[in-house]
Amino acid sequence: MNYTDIENITARFLHQNHQLQMQEGQYCKDLSLSCWSSPVYRLSEDGREGGMFCDTFTYRFYRENETDYCRVIMKRLETRIEEADGVSSITDVRWSTIQEMLPWEYTNQDLILSGDETEDGTKKGFCYEKLPAWPSLPVHGINDPQDVLDIRNLQNKVFEHRLHGIAKLFSETCEAELFLDKCMEAPVIGKEQIDNWSRAYLDTETQNHHCYRFLGITGLPVIEIANEKTHAKGLFMTELCIIDAFAEDMEQWQLRRYLGYVQSDYVKENDIWKIRKMELQTVAAMPVIPYRNDGRYDKSGQSEEPWNIDQENFGSIHTEDAMEIENIINGWALSCRCGKLMAYADRYFAMPEGEPKMLIRSFGAKTKKLENLEEIREKLSGMISQYQNRYYTFHAPTTPVLQYEGDQEHIIGTWFDCGTTNLRSMAKSVNEIPYMIFINKYVHRFRKIDGRWYFAEFYGEPAIGFPDWYFDLEHSRGYVSLEGTKCYPDEFLLL
């Protein structure tokens, strides 16, 4: 067993849960869909026992007193996996609520799945009657860890590139096909046509006041390699953001968010994996929210801030290094949440050679780049001073692309996350604590020195900003409600 097996098995568990939830939604007007983030992996020395720990953002869609709501629930998932007779399976699982955010109500301005208002103008909510089925999972194949990582990188680059230059990721054959629900009416077939479509679609962002018409976060990858190792299938959970900012009046701008999945077929051509067919299908729309980019800085809508392509189209990374880097990122997320950033900095930023760099570009071009460990420690100490038990902040990256950069002692990693920052100092009461919400992009460079990995450069930037979410500490269910609750629970309780 390797760490991609652990990822595959846990992702299958969540996709199977989604299959059940879609039918439950039709029957009960109540369903939940989950995106995971910041996974950390554990493997025994003999590879026969392991586990995975991660956060999930679980979105519950439900009807109550004839009104439809959506609320996000922060949860903590852990699986224990054992191998026997060559078969690995989950033997224990914990999936616990940490806290619930206050729900959003659907209004008559929300166009849910059917895309139509009622004729009489009455309120239209979530369309449970038209929920599609969640797709079947790929049949078990060969889980070659190197191929799985190459394919995961390949698929996530469509999102990391944000459609820029994605045609190079597709098969050279005439069978190459792309369909993105909410972005196109019919599939685009052929590599040249995919290139033409993506260029034309991105060009419309100029009229859209340079606001993004496509930004996606992926997780839950199930990737199966066919026996001949030249074909593969993949299934990913996806959150899609589309901004409608064509109007001259900023008050009319809207941000639409959808949950769904990506199903793809892959083919190996000249020893390089390519996408043969990719379909992004949305299944649930969250309430439409207002969008504007003249408050807190975010990169969307900044005409002088072009989208950066940070990952090469084709690269590689060994599974041992990839697992270690993913665990390092989880350590950052957990240290932020538990007020332990100084100890984390001493381990991962204090390089024996050279100085680490950090740029968390919260203020755009005005943000100062930190040039050494001393400046980084000063910033982190300020972040720690804001920490208080039960007032958790959830910075939890997903959509990983991990590749060597130059040689095998340098790695570049890119991630997205839905960053939720607790603003308790701005709260009027514990019943309505605001959370600052951004889709963030991270670009980190790591350097191996004397066999240990360190941050050489830490980069983060808000891509899309949301209106604040709110949290009722006094009435939220979950871990925060338990008497004596202190730090966020430790990882790997199922040892």
Side-chain angles (χ1 to χ4, degrees):
M1 180 167 55
N2 55 69
Y3 104 88
T4 59
D5 290 307
I6 295 172
E7 180 178 71
N8 183 309
I9 293 166
T10 306
R12 282 180 171 273
F13 165 76
L14 288 170
H15 281 291
Q16 288 166 339
N17 176 265
H18 288 169
Q19 290 176 335
L20 299 172
Q21 289 292 321
M22 298 306 286
Q23 191 172 56
E24 190 76 354
Q26 293 184 37
Y27 293 160
C28 303
K29 309 294 188 292
D30 195 328
L31 75 150
S32 296
L33 300 172
S34 299
C35 307
W36 81 24
S37 50
S38 296
V40 60
Y41 305 89
R42 178 176 58 86
L43 266 175
S44 62
E45 289 188 10
D46 61 5
R48 296 178 62 84
E49 191 270 333
M52 176 176 168
F53 162 89
C54 65
D55 303 306
T56 70
F57 281 53
T58 297
Y59 293 88
R60 181 188 172 203
F61 304 87
Y62 62 100
R63 182 168 294 171
E64 190 174 275
N65 298 326
E66 302 305 316
T67 299
D68 290 327
Y69 298 94
C70 173
R71 79 186 309 161
V72 63
I73 305 168
M74 279 71 169
K75 304 182 77 171
R76 175 192 186 279
L77 173 66
E78 183 181 349
T79 57
R80 180 177 179 178
I81 297 170
E82 296 188 29
E83 181 184 300
D85 299 324
V87 177
S88 300
S89 57
I90 293 175
T91 58
D92 295 280
V93 63
R94 286 191 180 188
W95 197 6
S96 306
T97 296
I98 301 299
Q99 67 185 59
E100 301 174 318
M101 307 303 289
L102 291 175
W104 310 295
E105 180 180 340
Y106 285 95
T107 71
N108 60 353
Q109 295 182 7
D110 292 317
L111 309 178
I112 308 303
L113 289 179
S114 63
D116 298 317
E117 296 279 4
T118 53
E119 291 183 3
D120 61 2
T122 57
K123 183 164 66 174
K124 184 175 184 62
F126 193 87
C127 193
Y128 294 97
E129 294 77 15
K130 295 188 178 183
L131 283 172
W134 198 261
S136 300
L137 277 70
V139 175
H140 283 291
I142 301 172
N143 190 352
D144 180 278
Q146 195 62 59
D147 282 332
V148 168
L149 280 178
D150 288 347
I151 291 171
R152 192 183 73 176
N153 277 346
L154 170 69
Q155 184 63 76
N156 281 341
K157 285 172 191 170
V158 174
F159 298 90
E160 191 270 342
H161 288 12
R162 210 180 60 75
L163 300 184
H164 291 79
I166 60 168
K168 295 178 181 179
L169 306 175
F170 281 77
S171 168
E172 300 291 341
T173 70
C174 60
E175 297 179 341
E177 182 176 321
L178 173 66
F179 178 70
L180 305 177
D181 184 20
K182 308 303 178 189
C183 299
M184 56 177 64
E185 295 182 357
V188 176
I189 299 174
K191 186 172 180 177
E192 182 177 351
Q193 293 305 312
I194 291 172
D195 185 49
N196 291 340
W197 175 84
S198 61
R199 289 175 184 273
Y201 188 79
L202 290 168
D203 282 347
T204 65
E205 291 186 346
T206 302
Q207 291 74 44
N208 199 43
H209 289 91
H210 301 281
C211 294
Y212 301 149
R213 298 195 66 207
F214 179 94
L215 193 150
I217 298 177
T218 68
L220 282 63
V222 174
I223 299 167
E224 298 291 351
I225 315 296
N227 289 334
E228 74 279 7
K229 297 186 70 173
T230 58
H231 293 81
K233 291 184 178 293
L235 176 64
F236 294 69
M237 178 70 188
T238 302
E239 178 181 335
L240 176 64
C241 295
I242 298 176
I243 299 172
D244 179 355
F246 288 104
E248 290 304 317
D249 181 3
M250 189 179 289
E251 297 296 328
Q252 298 181 38
W253 293 6
Q254 294 181 330
L255 171 59
R256 302 180 183 275
R257 297 174 65 203
Y258 305 89
L259 297 179
Y261 59 84
V262 165
Q263 262 188 317
S264 292
D265 295 341
Y266 311 97
V267 61
K268 185 176 276 190
E269 297 175 350
N270 299 319
D271 291 326
I272 296 175
W273 285 104
K274 299 286 189 72
I275 300 170
R276 189 187 71 81
K277 180 179 180 180
M278 173 184 166
E279 174 188 6
L280 191 163
Q281 184 68 52
T282 60
V283 301
M286 286 175 264
V288 175
I289 56 177
Y291 175 76
R292 56 191 306 151
N293 63 353
D294 60 347
R296 299 173 181 139
Y297 168 81
D298 60 354
K299 191 166 187 173
S300 181
Q302 310 295 330
S303 60
E304 72 281 4
E305 297 280 356
W307 188 259
N308 295 327
I309 304 300
D310 295 288
Q311 294 281 11
E312 296 289 336
N313 284 326
F314 303 104
S316 66
I317 188 173
H318 296 325
T319 56
E320 297 83 359
D321 289 330
M323 176 176 164
E324 186 166 351
I325 295 301
E326 292 212 55
N327 287 355
I328 289 172
I329 291 302
N330 174 273
W332 167 263
L334 203 59
S335 296
C336 287
R337 201 168 305 154
C338 298
K340 299 179 179 178
L341 283 175
M342 301 310 290
Y344 184 87
D346 290 341
R347 165 59 185 88
Y348 292 108
F349 286 91
M351 297 193 302
E353 304 171 7
E355 290 285 358
K357 316 292 183 186
M358 176 179 280
L359 179 57
I360 301 179
R361 206 166 182 260
S362 303
F363 301 99
K366 300 176 183 178
T367 310
K368 178 186 176 184
K369 184 176 183 179
L370 309 180
E371 301 284 355
N372 53 57
L373 180 61
E374 182 179 353
E375 291 182 346
I376 291 173
R377 285 178 60 87
E378 182 178 352
K379 179 174 180 61
L380 298 186
S381 65
M383 293 170 63
I384 291 173
S385 68
Q386 302 298 316
Y387 175 76
Q388 183 173 328
N389 286 339
R390 301 178 73 199
Y391 294 83
Y392 305 126
T393 285
F394 295 87
H395 289 292
T398 187
T399 324
V401 179
L402 306 171
Q403 297 184 147
Y404 293 122
E405 188 175 38
D407 57 41
Q408 294 184 10
E409 294 188 346
H410 294 81
I411 289 174
I412 179 170
T414 51
W415 294 263
F416 292 121
D417 86 340
C418 182
T420 63
T421 301
N422 188 298
L423 300 178
R424 61 182 174 85
S425 62
M426 299 174 60
K428 296 179 181 179
S429 74
V430 294
N431 304 120
E432 198 173 34
I433 299 169
Y435 269 68
M436 180 172 62
I437 310 299
F438 287 103
I439 297 291
N440 298 301
K441 182 181 180 182
Y442 300 96
V443 184
H444 301 330
R445 286 178 164 82
F446 302 87
R447 181 182 172 191
K448 182 182 274 189
I449 303 174
D450 297 329
R452 303 180 74 182
W453 286 105
Y454 298 88
F455 276 102
E457 294 184 24
F458 184 109
Y459 181 91
E461 181 167 31
I464 297 178
F466 299 175
D468 290 349
W469 294 356
Y470 289 91
F471 169 54
D472 182 348
L473 176 61
E474 187 175 13
H475 299 103
S476 174
R477 298 183 305 169
Y479 180 76
V480 294
S481 69
L482 300 179
E483 187 175 350
T485 295
K486 293 186 178 179
C487 284
Y488 190 83
D490 289 336
E491 55 194 14
F492 295 128
L493 299 178
L494 297 176
L495 296 176

